[in-house]
Amino acid sequence: MALVEVQTVATPAVPRIKPIIRDVLVESRPNIPIKFNAISHLAYVNRPTVLTMKDLGLPEDLGISPVAVSQPFPLFTEEAIRIMRTEVFTKEVWDNCLQSTAFAKCQIRGHCPKYAPFMYNAWTDPKTLSIISDIAGIDLIPMIDIDIGNLNISVEDEGHDKDRVVNQSDDDVPITNWHYDSYPFVCVVMMSDASKMVGGETALRNGSGEIIKVRGPQMGSAVILQGRCISHQALAALGGGERITMITSFRPRDPMVRDTSVLTSIRPISNPSDLYFQWAQYRLEVLRARLAVMLQELEEQHRAQRPTDVSRIKQFLQLQEEWIAATNKEIVVV
Ligand SMILES: [Fe+2]
């Protein structure tokens, strides 16, 4: 099956969706911790086909990897998805982690690791990270804890006309505006049975301004996107009842790699205290690692009695000034 089809996205219309009913939630998750096991809980088989930046007609150095987006690929087993759902469909998670904005009516955020240790372990497992990194074409680690396993939840309106749903296939109904993500890479996993869903693709804009559509994943499957530097939008999925996607964001493991992360779309849907602790922690850790690398390089150069590379020092310091300024700018005190 072809990965992409080139189409023009039709005039926006708003699908009728509503948040899932809170009454179905249990009080708290069963007190039986289940350990994530890469052998039994990962369903990954082969590296999926990817579209590169070059395939999209975008500059190859626009982002941090030549890979733009992957075809959907199996990542987690059904059992793993079931356990993750058990962790998050509790009253304590919904009381503490529900975010509702005009952009997304029903998001569950910040539940990892406190309320969802299995989900947290699944995303931080070395085997999971090696799969994501291999497909993304660069060594990646999860962004910050608050953006591990973010859930976007929608349920079709009960009054939805079934015929209209079936006939929806030729309509492209955006559920987000065209945007760039705040973080370098994102991995989207389907948490619902998507076998009867129509739509649900991700639309990308290529270098010529054409729209490329990448089909949505099935349950347990994932799509990886370099969303920080590719303009994209999510298209509505209809006909499947509930639709829950789990989104984890990633950044480069190597602290010396460029990282243009911002908090634009994250700030309105996050607890400021948690967000700014995690943001400052990650930014300072990266800075500390960069300083250590630069210091070692300088000292080795000096011990070897080589001339000091002044322009390298100045370039490094300039980049770190920009890093600190960007870090500070994203922390907004209201
Ligand atoms: Fe996005």
Side-chain angles (χ1 to χ4, degrees), residues 2-10 51 56 69-70 72 168-173 178 199-206 210-216 233-236:
L3 172 61
V4 296
E5 47 187 309
V6 178
Q7 288 183 5
T8 305
V9 173
L51 277 181
L56 292 182
V69 64
S70 77
Q168 195 75 27
S169 59
D170 292 332
D171 294 343
D172 291 328
V173 184
W178 285 101
E201 301 96 339
T202 301
L204 314 173
R205 214 189 290 277
N206 74 8
E210 291 169 318
I211 309 302
I212 310 283
K213 288 202 300 180
V214 178
R215 68 176 187 273
Q233 70 173 186
L235 301 178

PDB file of all heavy atoms in Angstrom, residues 2-10 51 56 69-70 72 168-173 178 199-206 210-216 233-236:
ATOM      1  N   ALA A   2       0.465   2.232  -0.812  1.00  0.00           N
ATOM      2  CA  ALA A   2       1.269   3.456  -0.876  1.00  0.00           C
ATOM      3  C   ALA A   2       1.222   4.187   0.458  1.00  0.00           C
ATOM      4  O   ALA A   2       0.194   4.187   1.141  1.00  0.00           O
ATOM      5  CB  ALA A   2       0.717   4.356  -1.976  1.00  0.00           C
ATOM      6  N   LEU A   3       2.333   4.752   0.823  1.00  0.00           N
ATOM      7  CA  LEU A   3       2.400   5.469   2.108  1.00  0.00           C
ATOM      8  C   LEU A   3       1.624   6.772   2.063  1.00  0.00           C
ATOM      9  O   LEU A   3       0.947   7.144   2.990  1.00  0.00           O
ATOM     10  CB  LEU A   3       3.869   5.743   2.462  1.00  0.00           C
ATOM     11  CG  LEU A   3       4.115   6.650   3.666  1.00  0.00           C
ATOM     12  CD1 LEU A   3       3.532   6.026   4.921  1.00  0.00           C
ATOM     13  CD2 LEU A   3       5.598   6.890   3.848  1.00  0.00           C
ATOM     14  N   VAL A   4       1.729   7.448   0.944  1.00  0.00           N
ATOM     15  CA  VAL A   4       1.130   8.782   0.895  1.00  0.00           C
ATOM     16  C   VAL A   4       0.281   8.933  -0.345  1.00  0.00           C
ATOM     17  O   VAL A   4       0.409   8.208  -1.315  1.00  0.00           O
ATOM     18  CB  VAL A   4       2.208   9.887   0.857  1.00  0.00           C
ATOM     19  CG1 VAL A   4       3.012   9.886   2.122  1.00  0.00           C
ATOM     20  CG2 VAL A   4       3.091   9.746  -0.361  1.00  0.00           C
ATOM     21  N   GLU A   5      -0.617   9.841  -0.268  1.00  0.00           N
ATOM     22  CA  GLU A   5      -1.344  10.261  -1.450  1.00  0.00           C
ATOM     23  C   GLU A   5      -1.393  11.777  -1.407  1.00  0.00           C
ATOM     24  O   GLU A   5      -1.476  12.375  -0.335  1.00  0.00           O
ATOM     25  CB  GLU A   5      -2.748   9.676  -1.468  1.00  0.00           C
ATOM     26  CG  GLU A   5      -3.456   9.834  -0.140  1.00  0.00           C
ATOM     27  CD  GLU A   5      -4.775   9.102  -0.091  1.00  0.00           C
ATOM     28  OE1 GLU A   5      -5.564   9.296  -1.015  1.00  0.00           O
ATOM     29  OE2 GLU A   5      -5.012   8.372   0.861  1.00  0.00           O
ATOM     30  N   VAL A   6      -1.269  12.371  -2.546  1.00  0.00           N
ATOM     31  CA  VAL A   6      -1.260  13.836  -2.589  1.00  0.00           C
ATOM     32  C   VAL A   6      -2.674  14.308  -2.872  1.00  0.00           C
ATOM     33  O   VAL A   6      -3.273  13.943  -3.861  1.00  0.00           O
ATOM     34  CB  VAL A   6      -0.295  14.337  -3.684  1.00  0.00           C
ATOM     35  CG1 VAL A   6      -0.326  15.852  -3.744  1.00  0.00           C
ATOM     36  CG2 VAL A   6       1.093  13.825  -3.419  1.00  0.00           C
ATOM     37  N   GLN A   7      -3.224  15.076  -1.943  1.00  0.00           N
ATOM     38  CA  GLN A   7      -4.572  15.598  -2.120  1.00  0.00           C
ATOM     39  C   GLN A   7      -4.637  16.999  -1.559  1.00  0.00           C
ATOM     40  O   GLN A   7      -3.814  17.380  -0.743  1.00  0.00           O
ATOM     41  CB  GLN A   7      -5.587  14.743  -1.353  1.00  0.00           C
ATOM     42  CG  GLN A   7      -5.826  13.392  -1.989  1.00  0.00           C
ATOM     43  CD  GLN A   7      -6.896  12.618  -1.235  1.00  0.00           C
ATOM     44  OE1 GLN A   7      -7.501  13.137  -0.311  1.00  0.00           O
ATOM     45  NE2 GLN A   7      -7.097  11.393  -1.640  1.00  0.00           N
ATOM     46  N   THR A   8      -5.644  17.710  -1.974  1.00  0.00           N
ATOM     47  CA  THR A   8      -5.873  19.028  -1.380  1.00  0.00           C
ATOM     48  C   THR A   8      -6.851  18.855  -0.227  1.00  0.00           C
ATOM     49  O   THR A   8      -7.851  18.169  -0.354  1.00  0.00           O
ATOM     50  CB  THR A   8      -6.468  19.984  -2.428  1.00  0.00           C
ATOM     51  OG1 THR A   8      -5.592  19.991  -3.542  1.00  0.00           O
ATOM     52  CG2 THR A   8      -6.589  21.380  -1.865  1.00  0.00           C
ATOM     53  N   VAL A   9      -6.545  19.461   0.901  1.00  0.00           N
ATOM     54  CA  VAL A   9      -7.432  19.342   2.059  1.00  0.00           C
ATOM     55  C   VAL A   9      -8.645  20.244   1.876  1.00  0.00           C
ATOM     56  O   VAL A   9      -8.523  21.404   1.508  1.00  0.00           O
ATOM     57  CB  VAL A   9      -6.669  19.706   3.347  1.00  0.00           C
ATOM     58  CG1 VAL A   9      -7.618  19.761   4.530  1.00  0.00           C
ATOM     59  CG2 VAL A   9      -5.589  18.665   3.595  1.00  0.00           C
ATOM     60  N   ALA A  10      -9.839  19.681   2.117  1.00  0.00           N
ATOM     61  CA  ALA A  10     -11.084  20.404   1.867  1.00  0.00           C
ATOM     62  C   ALA A  10     -11.353  21.472   2.924  1.00  0.00           C
ATOM     63  O   ALA A  10     -10.657  21.570   3.920  1.00  0.00           O
ATOM     64  CB  ALA A  10     -12.236  19.399   1.842  1.00  0.00           C
ATOM     65  N   LEU A  51       9.423   8.694   5.061  1.00  0.00           N
ATOM     66  CA  LEU A  51       9.593   9.777   4.102  1.00  0.00           C
ATOM     67  C   LEU A  51      10.691  10.666   4.645  1.00  0.00           C
ATOM     68  O   LEU A  51      10.650  11.039   5.831  1.00  0.00           O
ATOM     69  CB  LEU A  51       8.312  10.600   3.985  1.00  0.00           C
ATOM     70  CG  LEU A  51       7.203  10.099   3.071  1.00  0.00           C
ATOM     71  CD1 LEU A  51       6.036  11.079   3.101  1.00  0.00           C
ATOM     72  CD2 LEU A  51       7.715   9.929   1.647  1.00  0.00           C
ATOM     73  N   LEU A  56      10.196  15.133   0.869  1.00  0.00           N
ATOM     74  CA  LEU A  56       9.190  16.195   0.990  1.00  0.00           C
ATOM     75  C   LEU A  56       9.630  17.492   0.307  1.00  0.00           C
ATOM     76  O   LEU A  56       8.924  18.501   0.366  1.00  0.00           O
ATOM     77  CB  LEU A  56       8.903  16.487   2.472  1.00  0.00           C
ATOM     78  CG  LEU A  56       8.189  15.386   3.268  1.00  0.00           C
ATOM     79  CD1 LEU A  56       7.941  15.835   4.698  1.00  0.00           C
ATOM     80  CD2 LEU A  56       6.870  15.008   2.614  1.00  0.00           C
ATOM     81  N   VAL A  69       9.052  11.661   8.456  1.00  0.00           N
ATOM     82  CA  VAL A  69       7.877  10.986   9.029  1.00  0.00           C
ATOM     83  C   VAL A  69       7.934   9.499   8.683  1.00  0.00           C
ATOM     84  O   VAL A  69       8.480   9.130   7.650  1.00  0.00           O
ATOM     85  CB  VAL A  69       6.577  11.643   8.500  1.00  0.00           C
ATOM     86  CG1 VAL A  69       6.425  11.464   6.991  1.00  0.00           C
ATOM     87  CG2 VAL A  69       5.338  11.146   9.227  1.00  0.00           C
ATOM     88  N   SER A  70       7.379   8.673   9.550  1.00  0.00           N
ATOM     89  CA  SER A  70       7.377   7.231   9.279  1.00  0.00           C
ATOM     90  C   SER A  70       5.990   6.777   8.836  1.00  0.00           C
ATOM     91  O   SER A  70       4.989   7.431   9.130  1.00  0.00           O
ATOM     92  CB  SER A  70       7.768   6.445  10.534  1.00  0.00           C
ATOM     93  OG  SER A  70       6.671   6.392  11.434  1.00  0.00           O
ATOM     94  N   PRO A  72       2.988   4.097   9.533  1.00  0.00           N
ATOM     95  CA  PRO A  72       2.588   3.452  10.794  1.00  0.00           C
ATOM     96  C   PRO A  72       3.259   2.086  10.957  1.00  0.00           C
ATOM     97  O   PRO A  72       3.405   1.345   9.981  1.00  0.00           O
ATOM     98  CB  PRO A  72       1.073   3.277  10.634  1.00  0.00           C
ATOM     99  CG  PRO A  72       0.662   4.282   9.618  1.00  0.00           C
ATOM    100  CD  PRO A  72       1.823   4.430   8.683  1.00  0.00           C
ATOM    101  N   GLN A 168     -18.032   9.962   4.939  1.00  0.00           N
ATOM    102  CA  GLN A 168     -17.092  11.020   5.298  1.00  0.00           C
ATOM    103  C   GLN A 168     -15.738  10.836   4.610  1.00  0.00           C
ATOM    104  O   GLN A 168     -14.899  11.714   4.633  1.00  0.00           O
ATOM    105  CB  GLN A 168     -16.868  11.005   6.817  1.00  0.00           C
ATOM    106  CG  GLN A 168     -16.211  12.253   7.381  1.00  0.00           C
ATOM    107  CD  GLN A 168     -17.167  13.418   7.451  1.00  0.00           C
ATOM    108  OE1 GLN A 168     -18.366  13.237   7.567  1.00  0.00           O
ATOM    109  NE2 GLN A 168     -16.650  14.619   7.359  1.00  0.00           N
ATOM    110  N   SER A 169     -15.531   9.693   3.967  1.00  0.00           N
ATOM    111  CA  SER A 169     -14.189   9.340   3.533  1.00  0.00           C
ATOM    112  C   SER A 169     -13.537  10.342   2.584  1.00  0.00           C
ATOM    113  O   SER A 169     -12.330  10.460   2.559  1.00  0.00           O
ATOM    114  CB  SER A 169     -14.210   7.964   2.866  1.00  0.00           C
ATOM    115  OG  SER A 169     -15.086   7.996   1.783  1.00  0.00           O
ATOM    116  N   ASP A 170     -14.365  11.057   1.820  1.00  0.00           N
ATOM    117  CA  ASP A 170     -13.758  11.984   0.877  1.00  0.00           C
ATOM    118  C   ASP A 170     -13.556  13.373   1.466  1.00  0.00           C
ATOM    119  O   ASP A 170     -13.011  14.249   0.839  1.00  0.00           O
ATOM    120  CB  ASP A 170     -14.608  12.083  -0.397  1.00  0.00           C
ATOM    121  CG  ASP A 170     -14.561  10.772  -1.160  1.00  0.00           C
ATOM    122  OD1 ASP A 170     -13.546  10.061  -1.038  1.00  0.00           O
ATOM    123  OD2 ASP A 170     -15.542  10.463  -1.849  1.00  0.00           O
ATOM    124  N   ASP A 171     -14.069  13.561   2.684  1.00  0.00           N
ATOM    125  CA  ASP A 171     -13.908  14.864   3.325  1.00  0.00           C
ATOM    126  C   ASP A 171     -12.686  14.820   4.224  1.00  0.00           C
ATOM    127  O   ASP A 171     -12.483  13.873   4.954  1.00  0.00           O
ATOM    128  CB  ASP A 171     -15.130  15.211   4.190  1.00  0.00           C
ATOM    129  CG  ASP A 171     -16.365  15.392   3.331  1.00  0.00           C
ATOM    130  OD1 ASP A 171     -16.205  15.562   2.120  1.00  0.00           O
ATOM    131  OD2 ASP A 171     -17.464  15.333   3.887  1.00  0.00           O
ATOM    132  N   ASP A 172     -11.880  15.857   4.168  1.00  0.00           N
ATOM    133  CA  ASP A 172     -10.755  15.974   5.087  1.00  0.00           C
ATOM    134  C   ASP A 172     -11.112  17.029   6.101  1.00  0.00           C
ATOM    135  O   ASP A 172     -11.169  18.209   5.780  1.00  0.00           O
ATOM    136  CB  ASP A 172      -9.479  16.362   4.333  1.00  0.00           C
ATOM    137  CG  ASP A 172      -9.012  15.225   3.452  1.00  0.00           C
ATOM    138  OD1 ASP A 172      -9.233  14.068   3.834  1.00  0.00           O
ATOM    139  OD2 ASP A 172      -8.440  15.508   2.392  1.00  0.00           O
ATOM    140  N   VAL A 173     -11.390  16.590   7.304  1.00  0.00           N
ATOM    141  CA  VAL A 173     -11.818  17.512   8.341  1.00  0.00           C
ATOM    142  C   VAL A 173     -10.669  17.738   9.314  1.00  0.00           C
ATOM    143  O   VAL A 173     -10.312  16.859  10.069  1.00  0.00           O
ATOM    144  CB  VAL A 173     -13.041  16.937   9.101  1.00  0.00           C
ATOM    145  CG1 VAL A 173     -13.549  17.954  10.117  1.00  0.00           C
ATOM    146  CG2 VAL A 173     -14.131  16.549   8.126  1.00  0.00           C
ATOM    147  N   TRP A 178      -2.949  24.213  10.927  1.00  0.00           N
ATOM    148  CA  TRP A 178      -1.585  23.946  10.477  1.00  0.00           C
ATOM    149  C   TRP A 178      -0.629  24.469  11.544  1.00  0.00           C
ATOM    150  O   TRP A 178      -0.790  25.593  12.016  1.00  0.00           O
ATOM    151  CB  TRP A 178      -1.319  24.645   9.142  1.00  0.00           C
ATOM    152  CG  TRP A 178      -1.986  23.937   8.010  1.00  0.00           C
ATOM    153  CD1 TRP A 178      -3.152  24.293   7.404  1.00  0.00           C
ATOM    154  CD2 TRP A 178      -1.521  22.752   7.364  1.00  0.00           C
ATOM    155  NE1 TRP A 178      -3.454  23.388   6.420  1.00  0.00           N
ATOM    156  CE2 TRP A 178      -2.480  22.432   6.363  1.00  0.00           C
ATOM    157  CE3 TRP A 178      -0.424  21.916   7.528  1.00  0.00           C
ATOM    158  CZ2 TRP A 178      -2.351  21.320   5.538  1.00  0.00           C
ATOM    159  CZ3 TRP A 178      -0.288  20.806   6.704  1.00  0.00           C
ATOM    160  CH2 TRP A 178      -1.240  20.518   5.728  1.00  0.00           C
ATOM    161  N   GLY A 199     -10.508   8.234   7.940  1.00  0.00           N
ATOM    162  CA  GLY A 199      -9.759   9.479   8.179  1.00  0.00           C
ATOM    163  C   GLY A 199      -8.665   9.239   9.205  1.00  0.00           C
ATOM    164  O   GLY A 199      -8.109   8.153   9.298  1.00  0.00           O
ATOM    165  N   GLY A 200      -8.369  10.273   9.984  1.00  0.00           N
ATOM    166  CA  GLY A 200      -7.356  10.132  11.041  1.00  0.00           C
ATOM    167  C   GLY A 200      -5.931  10.263  10.533  1.00  0.00           C
ATOM    168  O   GLY A 200      -4.987   9.933  11.250  1.00  0.00           O
ATOM    169  N   GLU A 201      -5.780  10.741   9.299  1.00  0.00           N
ATOM    170  CA  GLU A 201      -4.419  10.892   8.777  1.00  0.00           C
ATOM    171  C   GLU A 201      -3.743  12.136   9.361  1.00  0.00           C
ATOM    172  O   GLU A 201      -4.398  12.993   9.954  1.00  0.00           O
ATOM    173  CB  GLU A 201      -4.429  11.059   7.236  1.00  0.00           C
ATOM    174  CG  GLU A 201      -5.047   9.913   6.470  1.00  0.00           C
ATOM    175  CD  GLU A 201      -6.500  10.183   6.141  1.00  0.00           C
ATOM    176  OE1 GLU A 201      -7.118  11.031   6.832  1.00  0.00           O
ATOM    177  OE2 GLU A 201      -7.018   9.541   5.213  1.00  0.00           O
ATOM    178  N   THR A 202      -2.437  12.197   9.140  1.00  0.00           N
ATOM    179  CA  THR A 202      -1.708  13.438   9.391  1.00  0.00           C
ATOM    180  C   THR A 202      -1.412  14.060   8.034  1.00  0.00           C
ATOM    181  O   THR A 202      -0.903  13.378   7.139  1.00  0.00           O
ATOM    182  CB  THR A 202      -0.382  13.157  10.130  1.00  0.00           C
ATOM    183  OG1 THR A 202      -0.693  12.502  11.350  1.00  0.00           O
ATOM    184  CG2 THR A 202       0.358  14.457  10.437  1.00  0.00           C
ATOM    185  N   ALA A 203      -1.767  15.324   7.883  1.00  0.00           N
ATOM    186  CA  ALA A 203      -1.474  16.029   6.632  1.00  0.00           C
ATOM    187  C   ALA A 203      -0.200  16.847   6.824  1.00  0.00           C
ATOM    188  O   ALA A 203      -0.031  17.517   7.837  1.00  0.00           O
ATOM    189  CB  ALA A 203      -2.641  16.949   6.269  1.00  0.00           C
ATOM    190  N   LEU A 204       0.714  16.740   5.859  1.00  0.00           N
ATOM    191  CA  LEU A 204       1.980  17.481   5.907  1.00  0.00           C
ATOM    192  C   LEU A 204       2.050  18.405   4.701  1.00  0.00           C
ATOM    193  O   LEU A 204       1.529  18.079   3.637  1.00  0.00           O
ATOM    194  CB  LEU A 204       3.177  16.526   5.834  1.00  0.00           C
ATOM    195  CG  LEU A 204       3.166  15.274   6.705  1.00  0.00           C
ATOM    196  CD1 LEU A 204       4.362  14.396   6.347  1.00  0.00           C
ATOM    197  CD2 LEU A 204       3.227  15.659   8.163  1.00  0.00           C
ATOM    198  N   ARG A 205       2.748  19.521   4.869  1.00  0.00           N
ATOM    199  CA  ARG A 205       2.948  20.415   3.726  1.00  0.00           C
ATOM    200  C   ARG A 205       4.370  20.225   3.223  1.00  0.00           C
ATOM    201  O   ARG A 205       5.324  20.344   3.990  1.00  0.00           O
ATOM    202  CB  ARG A 205       2.718  21.866   4.147  1.00  0.00           C
ATOM    203  CG  ARG A 205       2.114  22.698   3.027  1.00  0.00           C
ATOM    204  CD  ARG A 205       2.091  24.159   3.374  1.00  0.00           C
ATOM    205  NE  ARG A 205       1.164  24.553   4.410  1.00  0.00           N
ATOM    206  CZ  ARG A 205      -0.136  24.793   4.211  1.00  0.00           C
ATOM    207  NH1 ARG A 205      -0.657  24.636   3.014  1.00  0.00           N
ATOM    208  NH2 ARG A 205      -0.897  25.186   5.206  1.00  0.00           N
ATOM    209  N   ASN A 206       4.509  19.883   1.953  1.00  0.00           N
ATOM    210  CA  ASN A 206       5.864  19.662   1.428  1.00  0.00           C
ATOM    211  C   ASN A 206       6.487  20.971   0.944  1.00  0.00           C
ATOM    212  O   ASN A 206       5.882  22.040   1.051  1.00  0.00           O
ATOM    213  CB  ASN A 206       5.872  18.564   0.348  1.00  0.00           C
ATOM    214  CG  ASN A 206       5.282  19.024  -0.971  1.00  0.00           C
ATOM    215  OD1 ASN A 206       4.989  20.202  -1.158  1.00  0.00           O
ATOM    216  ND2 ASN A 206       5.118  18.088  -1.892  1.00  0.00           N
ATOM    217  N   GLU A 210       2.440  21.524  -1.504  1.00  0.00           N
ATOM    218  CA  GLU A 210       1.408  20.498  -1.681  1.00  0.00           C
ATOM    219  C   GLU A 210       1.145  19.795  -0.350  1.00  0.00           C
ATOM    220  O   GLU A 210       1.997  19.776   0.540  1.00  0.00           O
ATOM    221  CB  GLU A 210       1.875  19.439  -2.691  1.00  0.00           C
ATOM    222  CG  GLU A 210       1.980  19.937  -4.109  1.00  0.00           C
ATOM    223  CD  GLU A 210       2.696  18.923  -4.985  1.00  0.00           C
ATOM    224  OE1 GLU A 210       3.709  18.344  -4.529  1.00  0.00           O
ATOM    225  OE2 GLU A 210       2.249  18.722  -6.110  1.00  0.00           O
ATOM    226  N   ILE A 211      -0.051  19.179  -0.269  1.00  0.00           N
ATOM    227  CA  ILE A 211      -0.421  18.461   0.957  1.00  0.00           C
ATOM    228  C   ILE A 211      -0.149  16.962   0.762  1.00  0.00           C
ATOM    229  O   ILE A 211      -0.620  16.356  -0.193  1.00  0.00           O
ATOM    230  CB  ILE A 211      -1.918  18.655   1.279  1.00  0.00           C
ATOM    231  CG1 ILE A 211      -2.294  20.139   1.261  1.00  0.00           C
ATOM    232  CG2 ILE A 211      -2.261  18.006   2.606  1.00  0.00           C
ATOM    233  CD1 ILE A 211      -1.520  20.998   2.212  1.00  0.00           C
ATOM    234  N   ILE A 212       0.607  16.401   1.674  1.00  0.00           N
ATOM    235  CA  ILE A 212       0.911  14.960   1.669  1.00  0.00           C
ATOM    236  C   ILE A 212       0.191  14.361   2.867  1.00  0.00           C
ATOM    237  O   ILE A 212       0.324  14.873   3.979  1.00  0.00           O
ATOM    238  CB  ILE A 212       2.431  14.715   1.860  1.00  0.00           C
ATOM    239  CG1 ILE A 212       3.259  15.552   0.898  1.00  0.00           C
ATOM    240  CG2 ILE A 212       2.765  13.244   1.804  1.00  0.00           C
ATOM    241  CD1 ILE A 212       3.307  15.061  -0.502  1.00  0.00           C
ATOM    242  N   LYS A 213      -0.553  13.284   2.649  1.00  0.00           N
ATOM    243  CA  LYS A 213      -1.246  12.673   3.784  1.00  0.00           C
ATOM    244  C   LYS A 213      -0.583  11.353   4.171  1.00  0.00           C
ATOM    245  O   LYS A 213      -0.309  10.515   3.326  1.00  0.00           O
ATOM    246  CB  LYS A 213      -2.712  12.411   3.428  1.00  0.00           C
ATOM    247  CG  LYS A 213      -3.524  13.688   3.340  1.00  0.00           C
ATOM    248  CD  LYS A 213      -5.012  13.446   3.512  1.00  0.00           C
ATOM    249  CE  LYS A 213      -5.594  12.512   2.479  1.00  0.00           C
ATOM    250  NZ  LYS A 213      -7.028  12.290   2.668  1.00  0.00           N
ATOM    251  N   VAL A 214      -0.344  11.187   5.459  1.00  0.00           N
ATOM    252  CA  VAL A 214       0.210   9.939   5.988  1.00  0.00           C
ATOM    253  C   VAL A 214      -0.889   9.278   6.794  1.00  0.00           C
ATOM    254  O   VAL A 214      -1.471   9.904   7.684  1.00  0.00           O
ATOM    255  CB  VAL A 214       1.432  10.212   6.894  1.00  0.00           C
ATOM    256  CG1 VAL A 214       1.976   8.919   7.467  1.00  0.00           C
ATOM    257  CG2 VAL A 214       2.512  10.942   6.107  1.00  0.00           C
ATOM    258  N   ARG A 215      -1.180   8.023   6.495  1.00  0.00           N
ATOM    259  CA  ARG A 215      -2.338   7.397   7.150  1.00  0.00           C
ATOM    260  C   ARG A 215      -2.101   7.197   8.645  1.00  0.00           C
ATOM    261  O   ARG A 215      -0.969   7.076   9.108  1.00  0.00           O
ATOM    262  CB  ARG A 215      -2.697   6.087   6.451  1.00  0.00           C
ATOM    263  CG  ARG A 215      -1.702   4.986   6.605  1.00  0.00           C
ATOM    264  CD  ARG A 215      -2.231   3.701   5.952  1.00  0.00           C
ATOM    265  NE  ARG A 215      -1.333   2.593   6.240  1.00  0.00           N
ATOM    266  CZ  ARG A 215      -0.270   2.294   5.518  1.00  0.00           C
ATOM    267  NH1 ARG A 215       0.051   3.025   4.478  1.00  0.00           N
ATOM    268  NH2 ARG A 215       0.495   1.265   5.849  1.00  0.00           N
ATOM    269  N   GLY A 216      -3.214   7.159   9.379  1.00  0.00           N
ATOM    270  CA  GLY A 216      -3.155   7.020  10.830  1.00  0.00           C
ATOM    271  C   GLY A 216      -2.855   5.590  11.244  1.00  0.00           C
ATOM    272  O   GLY A 216      -3.098   4.650  10.481  1.00  0.00           O
ATOM    273  N   GLN A 233      -1.000  19.085  10.129  1.00  0.00           N
ATOM    274  CA  GLN A 233      -2.257  19.154  10.862  1.00  0.00           C
ATOM    275  C   GLN A 233      -2.837  17.752  10.962  1.00  0.00           C
ATOM    276  O   GLN A 233      -2.574  16.889  10.121  1.00  0.00           O
ATOM    277  CB  GLN A 233      -3.261  20.120  10.214  1.00  0.00           C
ATOM    278  CG  GLN A 233      -3.820  19.661   8.920  1.00  0.00           C
ATOM    279  CD  GLN A 233      -4.931  20.553   8.381  1.00  0.00           C
ATOM    280  OE1 GLN A 233      -5.538  20.211   7.383  1.00  0.00           O
ATOM    281  NE2 GLN A 233      -5.212  21.686   8.999  1.00  0.00           N
ATOM    282  N   ALA A 234      -3.629  17.528  12.025  1.00  0.00           N
ATOM    283  CA  ALA A 234      -4.286  16.234  12.205  1.00  0.00           C
ATOM    284  C   ALA A 234      -5.660  16.311  11.564  1.00  0.00           C
ATOM    285  O   ALA A 234      -6.364  17.307  11.697  1.00  0.00           O
ATOM    286  CB  ALA A 234      -4.406  15.928  13.691  1.00  0.00           C
ATOM    287  N   LEU A 235      -6.026  15.243  10.854  1.00  0.00           N
ATOM    288  CA  LEU A 235      -7.353  15.184  10.238  1.00  0.00           C
ATOM    289  C   LEU A 235      -8.257  14.305  11.100  1.00  0.00           C
ATOM    290  O   LEU A 235      -7.804  13.337  11.711  1.00  0.00           O
ATOM    291  CB  LEU A 235      -7.255  14.614   8.814  1.00  0.00           C
ATOM    292  CG  LEU A 235      -6.344  15.407   7.864  1.00  0.00           C
ATOM    293  CD1 LEU A 235      -6.285  14.724   6.503  1.00  0.00           C
ATOM    294  CD2 LEU A 235      -6.835  16.848   7.720  1.00  0.00           C
ATOM    295  N   ALA A 236      -9.539  14.643  11.131  1.00  0.00           N
ATOM    296  CA  ALA A 236     -10.480  13.931  11.994  1.00  0.00           C
ATOM    297  C   ALA A 236     -10.653  12.483  11.546  1.00  0.00           C
ATOM    298  O   ALA A 236     -10.544  12.162  10.363  1.00  0.00           O
ATOM    299  CB  ALA A 236     -11.827  14.634  11.970  1.00  0.00           C
TER     300      ALA A 236
END
